Amino acid sequence: MTNPLTAASARAYFDARAHLWEAERQDYFTDAVWDEILRHGQFDREARVVDYGAGSGYLTAALLAAGLHKIVAVDVSPNTLMELQQRHGQGIEIRVATGGEIPLETGSADGIVCNMVLHHLEDPALFFAECARVLRRGGRAVVTYMVSYAATDFAADQNDRWAGFDLDALRQWIAAAGLFPDHIGLIGQRCCAQVSGAGGGAEIFVACAIRP
């Protein structure tokens, strides 16, 4: 299920909430998400990794803690990226996205991580195609979000386009992009379970795709 939102409305929404996201995020999911992404990413410390939809830097912090230092934070919101640099340092490369594209050169990244972002994209299939373009051979894209759930007013308020995803659809998008679906499954955690108006939330999945 999709909502007819625009890239411009998404940018305006996240620009306005840049200073609130870090506190709000803690009500949505636990650091089990952080652990799953690092486990499936298997990133070398010298890897160049893209944090797509970086927000205030939740996964950027995870990558830094794991010893990585070639991190590119990508987000639709310039304000959020400025918050990220203030929090994690000017050494983090930042790029502003304008839609589903990944604003990096072809074959320039070893990894892409994307946490709780896929539902904001107009065309998730395009995102996976972009992963295939940007990743070097053997590179990994690791994505987390929720499985399909009943749409709620909370989801609409969050600027969501998609009410979760069917795992078979994810496999099809990944395969169509020319990526190998290394792992797609649930992590045993629910997102937004305690958030008022979120209908009890939904199960979180992790999907790891490899560029052959």
Side-chain angles (χ1 to χ4, degrees):
M1 176 181 177
T2 64
N3 290 323
L5 303 173
T6 66
S9 69
R11 175 173 288 112
Y13 175 84
F14 288 109
D15 268 346
R17 302 184 70 83
H19 63 294
L20 301 173
W21 171 241
E22 182 60 24
E24 291 180 344
R25 187 273 308 164
Q26 297 177 36
D27 292 332
Y28 298 161
F29 51 85
T30 72
D31 285 346
V33 170
W34 170 325
D35 295 336
E36 286 291 315
I37 288 174
L38 290 179
R39 183 166 72 88
H40 288 286
Q42 302 178 21
F43 302 123
D44 182 89
R45 289 191 176 190
E46 292 301 314
R48 188 185 192 214
V49 178
V50 179
D51 182 358
Y52 186 86
S56 59
Y58 172 71
L59 287 185
T60 293
L63 295 169
L64 288 170
L68 282 79
H69 59 96
K70 299 177 183 177
I71 302 168
V72 184
V74 175
D75 203 277
V76 71
S77 164
N79 287 357
T80 299
L81 289 171
M82 287 189 289
E83 289 273 341
L84 183 150
Q85 277 196 324
Q86 290 172 9
R87 186 181 300 273
H88 299 294
Q90 296 296 314
I92 304 297
E93 183 180 351
I94 61 174
R95 304 269 184 112
V96 177
T98 58
E101 89 292 352
I102 301 175
L104 272 82
E105 300 75 17
T106 297
S108 63
D110 302 296
I112 298 168
V113 295
C114 177
N115 177 49
M116 305 295 166
V117 174
L118 204 61
H119 58 305
H120 292 305
L121 303 181
E122 180 178 358
D123 185 359
L126 172 61
F127 167 76
F128 287 110
E130 279 288 274
C131 287
R133 180 186 66 79
V134 170
L135 286 172
R136 300 183 178 112
R137 291 190 180 276
R140 290 171 174 257
V142 187
V143 178
T144 56
Y145 189 58
M146 293 184 281
V147 297
S148 299
Y149 58 88
T152 63
D153 290 341
F154 172 77
D157 290 343
Q158 294 292 302
N159 211 54
D160 293 357
R161 291 175 182 266
W162 297 79
F165 295 95
D166 177 79
L167 298 188
D168 286 335
L170 286 171
R171 290 187 183 92
Q172 292 173 12
W173 287 333
I174 288 169
L179 299 168
F180 173 74
D182 182 59
H183 175 86
I184 300 175
L186 304 180
I187 72 167
Q189 297 276 334
R190 296 182 74 83
C191 182
C192 303
Q194 305 302 320
V195 176
S196 176
E203 292 281 345
I204 300 172
F205 70 79
V206 60
C208 177
I210 300 175
R211 169 76 162 84

